[in-house]
Amino acid sequence: MTFRPRKIALELAEPDMELAVAVLNQQGGILLQAGCKLTASAICSLRKRGVGHVSVLMKDDRSEAELAIERDRVTNRLNILFRHAGADTYLNSLHKQVLDYRLSKLL
């Protein structure tokens, strides 16, 4: 079984969900560490502190074939968006960075 990070609204968070990313306050202080399991009281506390979203690990049921199709879709879409980049070093660099970011989100 594979798990992947998903950003969800706090109202969808449930006890026993595992945080994929630490929850920070507005000053950058850590409220909850990555890997921590949410509790009802932690969710309530986060709500009181104005936290709107959390990143949790969620089960990923996609097959390798489905992931390959999604990777191709993302790659083709970005190739279209950057089709006029030509030899522009900066645009090509941006294209690569955006592609790498988008593909990393599929894992």
Side-chain angles (χ1 to χ4, degrees), residues 33-102:
Q33 293 280 354
C36 168
K37 297 267 186 177
L38 290 174
T39 63
S41 63
I43 294 168
C44 184
S45 176
L46 292 173
R47 189 176 298 115
K48 288 178 184 176
R49 291 174 181 261
V51 173
H53 293 82
V54 291
S55 290
V56 295
L57 293 176
M58 303 211 40
K59 185 178 172 185
D60 188 357
D61 292 328
R62 294 175 298 176
S63 70
E64 196 54 45
E66 291 170 318
L67 282 171
I69 290 168
E70 187 64 15
R71 280 191 291 271
D72 286 344
R73 186 192 67 75
V74 167
T75 301
N76 291 336
R77 176 67 180 142
L78 286 173
N79 287 342
I80 289 169
L81 291 173
F82 284 89
R83 68 186 175 275
H84 298 295
D88 187 313
T89 305
Y90 297 111
L91 283 179
N92 286 315
S93 176
L94 178 61
H95 180 193
K96 181 184 178 338
Q97 290 175 11
V98 172
L99 180 60
D100 289 347
Y101 172 78
R102 295 270 178 93

Side-chain angles (χ1 to χ4, degrees), residues 7-47:
K7 184 177 180 180
I8 62 170
L10 186 61
E11 56 263 4
L12 299 176
E14 298 176 3
D16 291 328
M17 286 183 160
E18 184 177 341
L19 289 175
V21 177
V23 179
L24 307 178
N25 63 18
Q26 291 180 347
Q27 293 77 32
I30 297 174
L31 298 175
L32 292 172
Q33 293 280 354
C36 168
K37 297 267 186 177
L38 290 174
T39 63
S41 63
I43 294 168
C44 184
S45 176
L46 292 173
R47 189 176 298 115

